[in-house]
Amino acid sequence: MDTSQILVTLGGLGLVVFVVWYFFFGKRTSTAAALTESGVQEIAITVKGGYSPDSIEVVKDKPVRLKFYRDETSSCSEELVFGEFSLRRELPAFETTVIDILPTKTGTFEFTCGMNMLRGKLIVR
Amino acid sequence: MQTVQNHSTVTLEITGMHCASCAAFVEDALSQTQGVKRAAVNLASEKATVEFLPTMVNVHALTAAVENSGYGARELKHDTNRAAQAEATEERKRNEYDALKRRFTLAAVLAAVIMPLSMTMLVPSVEHWIHQAIGMQALNGMLLVLTLPVLLVSGREFYVSAYNAFLHRMANMDTLIAVGTGAAFAYSVVATLFPALFEQNGIRAEVYYDTTATIIALILLGKMLEARAKGQTSAAIKKLMNLQAKTARILVNEQEREVSIDAVKRGDVVVVRPGERIPTDGEIIEGASSVDESMLTGESLPVEKNVGASVFGGTVNKTGAFRFCATNVGAETALAHIVRLVEEAQGSKAPIQRLADKISSVFVPTVVVISLLTFVVWFNVMPAETRLPFALVNFVAVLIIACPCALGLATPTAIMVGTGKGAERGILIRNAESLEKAHQIGVVVVDKTGTLTQGEPSVTDFVMLNDTMTREDALQYAASLEHYSEHPLASAIVDYAEAEKVDAVFTVHDFLAVEGKGATGMVSGENVAIGNTKLMEQQKIIMDSEATSAAVKLLAEAKTTMYVAVKGAIVAVIGVADTVRETSLEAVQELQKRGIEVVMLTGDNRQTAEAIAAQVGIKRVFADVLPHDKANAVKQLQSEGKIVAMVGDGINDAPALAQADVGIAIGAGTDIAMEAASITLMRSDLLSVVSAIELSRRTMTNIKQNLFFAFVYNVLGIPLAAGLLFPFTGWLLSPMIAAAAMAMSSVSVLTNALRLKAVKL
């Protein structure tokens, strides 16, 4: 093994560790939805390579309004799937798509892009 | 804004409303504005529909009136009904497609130039000539300039998207393309600008501009094909949305006025002319016609409609003109209900998708790891002079060939096409799980009345006992008397006479309905009695042996028997039964052919039940079942380890429908039955059950094919691209071939799903 091989091996394995840690073990924080005057738990979510915020906390049995603003044209994020609520919506680029749901049970429910690569979750307490 | 005659209608979006009283307040504010004919505010949709005289008031004044009352308002330029929304989405998709096409064209044209220029080394004389004329470095510089627009214009979105995803600790399809082409491009730029770096280590300073440009062009081509195919997967729901009429002609002060569909309210009288689409749901109050309801029910024959009949928005009036009273509008109509149901089904996830979902959620980072390891391994095992380009090419090939899209598309596209196909045929599937379950059905439990049978009694036998009068006369006496009765058995006799073209024209006096027995009266001056044995006894009419034996024969066939007595003597015996639907036998046979056991469930007595079961070929019968025990019968079958489907139409069936693994509500059904059902069939025909199961089976097969293809493609493609076969066969995968394969893999999955459209149901 020459120097460049050692460097490539170490660099490559280092990148492998980084990829695994960065994508699988990163810390994520949740944001609670704000309660409006009319009793709706509302939150604005920006869609740009992912969902910001991507972890949303709400309480059970109160209507939830998720306002998705898709801030990109990449086709990866054009669809939003919320399996628990039987929702598959198109998110037009640079527009806000409002999704109203009523969570009736507690738990963590995932919402994803059409191909399950971009992910966010709704935590119902 | 829409102007009809002197009136205009505008839809305003209202903000700040929280409750019904807010809506009433806004409605008042608008109604009291001078020049406003009427205003309707919908709290749920946050919209106000205002009809006004443009000569007296304008939209600005209307929004001002709302704002003065403390709320926000703005004119909604686009009509907001579903059809208009669908149109706007179409338009947007077209624009996106055009933009994609422009990006592809640029990439394809430049790739077509870059490719031959990059291949000069294949022809030594040309390479030598270029070397002499401009030098390799200048040629590479030229290629770099040509490739830049491909990256920065055509491929820009991949890099931006990958970067944005990276910030979110996410990796998607674009990550693979961006890293792959980015690495090839970066390597080439170094080789172009600093060739000495390579040459001093004995490595040829090769460039991969052709690879970069071709990959981007091919992936864009794949995306274009994908967009086209994807558009077709939702064609069925678009078709349904387009059934919604945009305007309606309503009656105001006995004058017809055309208004926007949003302005139609419950209770409005709507006028429909021949050939027009019926704008909303209602009940006919004047006129008659035949209506084509195939778009909702899949039933191809037009349906006759008279006063009192229900009509549905989206169906087409054929011949007559009529007026109807709107009973359901907007989101409450059957069409809106169907659209919502189909949308929900298309948004739901099938359990079979779970594994694919699990894989796709870790797919991209895993592929990145594999590509990195590929690079490291080849860099360590290949000779020093070739190891860098060799490792790079395989690294790029792995990133490019991997296709998480095929995995992600496999199930949902088939579900979309399948549920859409169902909706076209009047088969509404609640969710993907129901569709998946339906293919495993082992037992179909069928409610007898209204499902296997017509659900209403009809005359099956009219047996003349002697020749004291003709058959027509006897029927005429019977029908004339029963005309006055409201009993279902009486209607059966009247209907039978009508079908036999015998008019019930005799005058009737002293009509008397005898509860539980029959009816008596003076028909055309003669004493007539129609009813059961008890009535005959009460009337002291002698039951001769001929009458008794005719009755015994009918009873043996589980038919209800009635005697017709004229002038104190029995002249005829009538057999009445709930008749089996024409298609029931065929449907039962079709189900049995598919290995599905058909079981009958009924509240009727065993004799009647067995008689009907024998007619349609059903071997297992649950008779004398009380309504609340129907669910227990289903439970019993489930305990035998079978996947049970329950087919029913009534409120009584709701618990059984909910208990069954697959609840199938038949006929337009009741709302309660629809709520409890996994599948709703718009046609009252057991053959629809066969179609629904067939649709489920075909869709599941399609999903399995798609998943198999997507798995196998990646499982074979990735190791091949990594060069796993190279030591044994010398096979390597060019990143450009990998790009073509990747582009085609998603398209293949979509094309396969679209095959479901051609399924004959």
Side-chain angles (χ1 to χ4, degrees):
Chain A
M1 236 185 189
D2 60 29
T3 323
S4 56
Q5 281 173 321
I6 293 170
L7 285 176
V8 163
T9 308
L10 288 177
L13 294 179
L15 275 174
V16 166
V17 172
F18 171 75
V19 167
V20 172
W21 166 78
Y22 189 77
F23 291 107
F24 297 143
F25 298 101
K27 251 176 89 180
R28 289 167 210 270
T29 48
S30 348
T31 311
L35 198 67
T36 62
E37 259 179 44
S38 50
V40 177
Q41 310 178 75
E42 200 173 273
I43 192 155
I45 300 156
T46 307
V47 185
K48 194 175 184 181
Y51 305 102
S52 325
D54 59 3
S55 178
I56 297 147
E57 277 182 37
V58 295
V59 289
K60 198 178 91 153
D61 292 331
K62 278 204 175 123
V64 174
R65 175 163 287 184
L66 305 170
K67 294 170 145 181
F68 286 90
Y69 178 73
R70 182 166 157 234
D71 194 17
E72 64 179 350
T73 49
S74 162
S75 60
C76 279
S77 60
E78 70 183 0
E79 256 184 340
L80 178 84
V81 179
F82 216 148
E84 178 64 27
F85 299 94
S86 285
L87 274 169
R88 178 179 291 271
R89 278 294 164 77
E90 289 215 16
L91 306 178
F94 310 114
E95 278 182 35
T96 299
T97 307
V98 176
I99 288 175
D100 290 321
I101 49 175
L102 180 69
T104 51
K105 55 180 180 189
T106 57
T108 299
F109 308 108
E110 218 175 40
F111 53 89
T112 67
C113 68
M115 291 176 195
N116 205 40
M117 259 164 269
L118 309 182
R119 283 181 311 281
K121 58 188 175 191
L122 185 77
I123 303 163
V124 184
R125 299 196 189 280
Chain B
M1 193 171 72
Q2 185 189 2
T3 308
V4 180
Q5 291 159 359
N6 299 325
H7 300 269
S8 291
T9 304
V10 67
T11 307
L12 301 176
E13 196 173 55
I14 311 289
T15 50
M17 293 192 296
H18 303 311
C19 54
S21 63
C22 293
F25 200 62
V26 173
E27 202 168 272
D28 273 357
L30 284 167
S31 305
Q32 283 161 18
T33 307
Q34 233 189 1
V36 171
K37 297 293 284 180
R38 53 184 203 163
V41 176
N42 185 329
L43 177 66
S45 63
E46 298 184 319
K47 282 184 197 82
T49 308
V50 190
E51 203 183 308
F52 63 100
L53 290 168
T55 48
M56 292 177 70
V57 67
N58 59 20
V59 175
H60 185 71
L62 294 175
T63 52
V66 176
E67 280 159 9
N68 284 338
S69 65
Y71 300 89
R74 69 181 181 93
E75 183 185 356
L76 218 59
K77 298 282 185 198
H78 303 290
D79 193 341
T80 47
N81 65 42
R82 300 307 299 269
Q85 267 178 22
E87 242 166 62
T89 308
E90 271 305 273
E91 173 73 22
R92 187 169 46 75
K93 292 226 149 177
R94 257 197 306 277
N95 292 339
E96 282 174 9
Y97 183 78
D98 289 344
L100 192 59
K101 201 167 157 187
R102 282 195 295 274
R103 287 165 58 200
F104 164 72
T105 313
L106 175 72
V109 169
L110 288 173
V113 179
I114 294 164
M115 187 81 105
L117 285 177
S118 308
M119 301 224 170
T120 52
M121 81 289 264
L122 298 178
V123 189
S125 56
V126 177
E127 191 190 16
H128 182 72
W129 177 79
I130 288 176
H131 216 75
Q132 296 269 304
I134 55 169
M136 261 345 247
Q137 200 172 2
L139 175 68
N140 288 347
M142 224 162 84
L143 289 172
L144 167 61
V145 171
L146 286 169
T147 310
L148 270 175
V150 181
L151 247 82
L152 300 180
V153 180
S154 298
R156 182 177 175 275
E157 202 175 271
F158 300 133
Y159 306 102
V160 174
S161 162
Y163 174 72
N164 286 333
F166 183 79
L167 293 181
H168 283 90
R169 291 175 177 254
M170 297 277 172
N172 57 30
M173 186 65 224
D174 292 339
T175 309
L176 298 175
I177 302 165
V179 175
T181 56
F185 182 75
Y187 179 93
S188 307
V189 171
V190 176
T192 306
L193 302 178
F194 312 106
L197 277 180
F198 294 83
E199 280 150 10
Q200 69 198 15
N201 288 310
I203 304 168
R204 209 183 129 114
E206 274 184 271
V207 292
Y208 296 96
Y209 295 119
D210 55 338
T211 307
T212 312
T214 313
I215 290 174
I216 290 175
L218 282 170
I219 287 170
L220 288 172
L221 174 68
K223 282 202 169 241
M224 271 168 64
L225 296 173
E226 195 181 305
R228 286 181 78 145
K230 254 183 161 176
Q232 287 175 45
T233 59
S234 52
I237 194 138
K238 277 182 222 146
K239 221 157 118 189
L240 278 172
M241 284 180 186
N242 285 330
L243 292 177
Q244 176 63 62
K246 292 189 174 56
T247 59
R249 208 175 302 105
I250 61 170
L251 219 54
V252 179
N253 300 329
E254 276 311 301
Q255 282 202 328
E256 288 180 21
R257 185 178 302 157
E258 190 161 340
V259 297
S260 155
I261 190 70
D262 294 342
V264 180
K265 288 199 295 199
R266 194 173 289 174
D268 278 348
V269 174
V270 184
V271 183
V272 186
R273 293 180 188 155
E276 281 184 343
R277 198 172 280 287
I278 296 171
T280 189
D281 293 2
E283 205 177 290
I284 297 186
I285 51 171
E286 194 184 317
S289 184
S290 67
V291 176
D292 178 5
E293 295 187 337
S294 60
M295 50 295 282
L296 297 190
T297 63
E299 172 67 63
S300 53
L301 289 176
V303 187
E304 294 300 323
K305 301 270 180 181
N306 293 304
V307 172
S310 298
V311 288
F312 302 98
T315 58
V316 173
N317 178 28
K318 302 287 271 189
T319 46
F322 61 85
R323 291 173 174 189
F324 72 90
C325 176
T327 52
N328 287 319
V329 294
E332 302 301 315
T333 62
L335 178 63
H337 205 90
I338 292 172
V339 168
R340 217 161 35 235
L341 209 64
V342 176
E343 267 181 343
E344 273 182 28
Q346 296 190 334
S348 63
K349 284 197 171 186
I352 194 171
Q353 199 182 337
R354 275 185 211 135
L355 179 63
D357 271 357
K358 274 209 180 103
I359 294 175
S360 58
S361 65
V362 297
F363 189 90
V364 175
T366 309
V367 169
V368 174
V369 166
I370 296 174
S371 69
L372 286 169
L373 294 175
T374 303
F375 190 96
V376 170
V377 169
W378 286 122
F379 194 85
N380 280 306
V381 299
M382 291 305 280
E385 59 280 7
T386 54
R387 64 191 181 191
L388 187 57
F390 197 95
L392 178 79
V393 167
N394 291 321
F395 167 78
V396 175
V398 168
L399 291 171
I400 299 299
I401 201 159
C403 185
C405 293
L407 268 179
L409 289 170
T411 316
T413 48
I415 295 279
M416 282 181 83
V417 180
T419 48
K421 173 85 190 173
E424 272 174 20
R425 308 285 303 149
I427 301 165
L428 303 175
I429 294 149
R430 175 159 291 274
N431 53 35
E433 196 178 341
S434 309
L435 187 68
E436 184 172 335
K437 267 250 171 78
H439 91 289
Q440 301 164 319
I441 291 171
V443 180
V444 171
V445 182
V446 186
D447 178 50
K448 180 184 78 75
T449 312
T451 306
L452 274 175
T453 64
Q454 301 282 5
E456 49 192 45
S458 57
V459 173
T460 53
D461 303 80
F462 194 91
V463 187
M464 289 302 294
L465 295 181
N466 43 53
D467 45 14
T468 50
M469 64 172 69
T470 63
R471 194 169 184 276
E472 269 100 62
D473 285 343
L475 191 51
Q476 205 162 3
Y477 277 116
S480 300
L481 181 70
E482 295 290 33
H483 205 77
Y484 286 79
S485 170
E486 281 170 359
H487 197 276
L489 291 175
S491 320
I493 295 173
V494 174
D495 288 346
Y496 180 72
E498 261 173 35
E500 296 275 303
K501 305 240 178 327
V502 173
D503 295 328
V505 291
F506 287 161
T507 52
V508 178
H509 296 288
D510 307 330
F511 172 83
L512 183 71
V514 188
E515 207 187 326
K517 293 176 183 167
T520 59
M522 297 294 290
V523 182
S524 194
E526 305 292 354
N527 208 340
V528 178
I530 306 175
N532 54 19
T533 325
K534 284 176 197 155
L535 184 77
M536 296 301 125
E537 280 165 8
Q538 187 195 42
Q539 298 287 312
K540 304 206 167 41
I541 295 165
I542 299 157
M543 303 275 292
D544 56 23
S545 61
E546 207 179 352
T548 314
S549 66
V552 166
K553 192 167 160 271
L554 291 172
L555 278 170
E557 290 166 18
K559 288 169 183 165
T560 306
T561 316
M562 285 184 289
Y563 303 92
V564 182
V566 181
K567 287 188 270 182
I570 295 174
V571 293
V573 180
I574 303 176
V576 176
D578 185 5
T579 50
V580 169
R581 285 179 196 275
E582 276 172 27
T583 50
S584 293
L585 173 63
E586 187 190 346
V588 170
Q589 284 172 340
E590 285 293 328
L591 288 170
Q592 287 167 340
K593 218 189 283 173
R594 287 169 173 75
I596 297 168
E597 187 188 359
V598 185
V599 175
M600 190 167 99
L601 189 63
T602 178
D604 276 3
N605 63 58
R606 182 151 290 276
Q607 195 181 16
T608 312
E610 300 269 2
I612 299 279
Q615 278 183 54
V616 293
I618 292 179
K619 295 186 183 69
R620 193 165 172 190
V621 178
F622 285 85
D624 299 313
V625 182
L626 295 170
H628 58 266
D629 280 337
K630 285 187 175 177
N632 287 336
V634 171
K635 238 184 239 171
Q636 189 188 325
L637 288 162
Q638 282 171 325
S639 69
E640 291 169 19
K642 289 167 182 159
I643 302 284
V644 179
M646 166 78 203
V647 186
D649 70 339
I651 297 167
N652 293 338
D653 295 336
L657 287 175
Q659 172 63 40
D661 298 293
V662 182
I664 303 176
I666 202 165
T670 60
D671 282 349
I672 296 172
M674 269 171 103
E675 282 302 311
S678 321
I679 298 174
T680 302
L681 304 173
M682 301 296 287
R683 260 186 305 163
S684 302
D685 180 345
L686 205 55
L687 275 176
S688 295
V689 176
V690 182
S691 302
I693 293 174
E694 190 60 27
L695 179 71
S696 159
R697 290 187 174 187
R698 297 292 192 94
T699 308
M700 290 316 293
T701 309
N702 198 284
I703 290 174
K704 284 175 190 161
Q705 288 165 345
N706 279 348
L707 285 174
F708 178 78
F709 173 80
F711 277 121
V712 167
Y713 167 84
N714 282 301
V715 166
L716 295 182
I718 294 173
L720 186 67
L724 206 68
L725 292 180
F726 183 73
F728 315 106
T729 60
W731 287 357
L732 276 183
L733 197 71
S734 148
M736 285 183 269
I737 304 285
M742 201 286 264
M744 292 325 288
S745 66
S746 320
V747 177
S748 308
V749 164
L750 277 162
T751 312
N752 190 43
L754 287 173
R755 282 194 317 121
L756 278 173
K757 278 186 159 184
V759 168
K760 285 218 167 61
L761 293 175

